[in-house]
Amino acid sequence: MIAVGIVGCNYGRNVLLPAFRSDPRCEVVALAGSDGRRTAELARAANVARGFEGWQPLVEDPGVAVVAIAVPPAIQPTVARRAIELGKPVFVEKPLAADLAGAHAMLTSGQTSARPAIIDFSFPELPAWQSAKAVVDSGRLGGLRHVVVTWNTENQAVRLGLKSWKTDAGDGGGVLGNFISHCFHYLEWFCGPISGLAARLFWLPDREAQVGVALALAFASGAAGSLQMSCASFLGSGQRIELYGDDGTLVLANPTGDYFRGFTLMRGYRGEDRLQAVPVADAGGDVSSDSRIAPVSRLVRRFLDACENGAAAAPGFAEGYRVQCLIDAAQRAHATGRWIDIPAAGDQQA
């Protein structure tokens, strides 16, 4: 039985806790939060044996073998690197850090450790996305011509006017850290390396909340791309990814406000006159539960496999660092108003 400690009482308690509990090979034995009394109460309510005030006692507890981290990006490198120093596998959130230097420090720590580390890029774990990837990998679309991503939603931080890392670019969040980190990862997962970009970022006019971005993209394959995202879109149109190839078109879309539940897949090949629905396996999980739990549970399963057999877990710190490089490039593109060329992953330097 693998003893797991979770740092973070929001996403950590609501998503990571049930995701780890879905695998019988582990037991969540500890929860850590900034408020000791509240954390103790939450731990008791969730039937977790121990509640810690602050991350350090949990990470350094010899009874905790694996550490799952759900804290803001500015704090994550400190927590993760300490766990790695103690030889403990880590499950971390995106983005890796608040800046490129912090992400590189995590990458370096991970490279010096033989223990597994995985980052929570959840969208590729959804059945509809895996079906889409199978179509792309089959070659039926032909050579990729261009990609269009639109994502319009209103997140809770914007809706309630909350002060949160999720809208604060200085803390590693904002639209780039909170949403586009996912997009950068899944675009390269679908389409291969991004070789360059231009970007324009947008803030709410009445406060320092980074809520929108428009990106022009180039892929190493020669394909073009565009990405528009806003987390300040009341009754927004949802998320839609369109892949256009020489011989076919693929559309992955979710018009709902639920980020992970509601995706449909359509495809059309040359010789056909319309897009047709692609049957998608049931995503699984209780439809009344948080839709994030099912995809995270699949990552947890892969992570625990790696803990047992000593293999590397994916996506890992290398993928997280690559996304951080793309976030940094988007920030520089906005600041300078210039096109930014992106080195290949193996050529990137912090």
Side-chain angles (χ1 to χ4, degrees):
M1 186 66 69
I2 300 171
V4 178
I6 296 175
V7 181
C9 290
N10 188 5
Y11 186 86
R13 176 174 59 93
N14 294 323
V15 179
L16 295 184
L17 176 58
F20 274 94
R21 280 182 166 168
S22 71
D23 195 304
R25 293 173 294 176
C26 69
E27 179 183 5
V28 177
V29 299
L31 184 68
S34 57
D35 184 321
R37 178 177 295 180
R38 177 175 179 270
T39 302
E41 292 173 353
L42 292 173
R44 281 194 296 272
N47 198 27
V48 175
R50 305 181 69 185
F52 289 96
E53 181 172 6
W55 63 267
Q56 195 162 358
L58 181 147
V59 170
E60 296 181 352
D61 190 308
V64 172
V66 166
V67 179
I69 305 167
V71 298
I75 304 170
Q76 180 160 264
T78 302
V79 183
R81 292 177 69 195
R82 180 56 181 151
I84 291 168
E85 286 174 4
L86 295 170
K88 299 184 179 185
V90 292
F91 187 109
V92 303
E93 290 305 312
K94 57 78 205 168
L96 275 186
D99 53 34
L100 197 54
H104 189 262
M106 285 184 69
L107 177 66
T108 301
S109 293
Q111 290 171 337
T112 62
S113 171
R115 306 302 291 149
I118 199 167
I119 184 169
D120 188 1
F121 287 124
S122 308
F123 283 105
E125 304 305 315
L126 296 173
W129 290 62
Q130 292 172 357
S131 296
K133 182 72 158 96
V135 172
V136 173
D137 290 348
S138 74
R140 290 293 306 275
L141 299 182
L144 189 65
R145 290 178 173 177
H146 66 279
V147 182
V148 179
V149 177
T150 55
W151 191 357
N152 293 292
T153 188
E154 185 182 53
N155 69 341
Q156 186 178 36
V158 170
R159 184 171 62 254
L160 301 180
L162 303 177
K163 185 174 178 56
S164 166
W165 74 268
K166 293 181 178 182
T167 56
D168 187 346
D171 280 345
V175 70
L176 288 178
N178 193 27
F179 291 98
I180 303 304
S181 56
H182 278 300
C183 299
F184 280 147
H185 176 256
Y186 70 59
L187 279 171
E188 292 205 326
W189 183 69
F190 276 130
C191 308
I194 295 169
S195 60
L197 58 79
R200 184 70 176 174
L201 294 161
F202 301 92
W203 285 257
L204 286 179
D206 56 341
R207 65 182 196 268
E208 290 297 312
Q210 187 194 83
V211 297
V213 65
L215 292 166
L217 303 167
F219 292 87
S221 66
S226 65
L227 190 162
Q228 175 274 319
M229 196 280 155
S230 167
C231 62
S233 299
F234 174 62
L235 298 179
S237 57
Q239 187 173 189
R240 184 178 177 93
I241 302 103
E242 304 170 18
L243 305 177
Y244 296 97
D246 293 329
D247 300 318
T249 294
L250 192 67
V251 177
L252 186 60
N254 180 1
T256 78
D258 188 319
Y259 299 158
F260 290 95
R261 186 180 286 128
F263 279 98
T264 61
L265 183 62
M266 304 286 286
R267 61 102 177 118
Y269 299 131
R270 195 160 302 273
E272 300 174 342
D273 60 359
R274 63 178 59 86
L275 294 173
Q276 301 181 42
V278 177
V280 175
D282 184 4
D286 181 357
V287 295
S288 67
S289 69
D290 191 312
S291 63
R292 298 171 292 182
I293 295 171
V296 174
S297 296
R298 297 182 182 99
L299 284 170
V300 164
R301 189 178 309 123
R302 198 152 66 243
F303 175 60
L304 295 176
D305 287 344
C307 290
E308 288 190 330
N309 61 34
F317 283 3
E319 289 88 343
Y321 180 67
R322 171 65 177 179
V323 166
Q324 201 86 39
C325 289
L326 294 168
I327 291 173
D328 181 74
Q331 291 168 334
R332 288 186 285 122
H334 171 82
T336 63
R338 296 180 176 179
W339 180 266
I340 302 295
D341 291 320
I342 312 294
D347 299 330
Q348 289 170 333
Q349 300 293 327

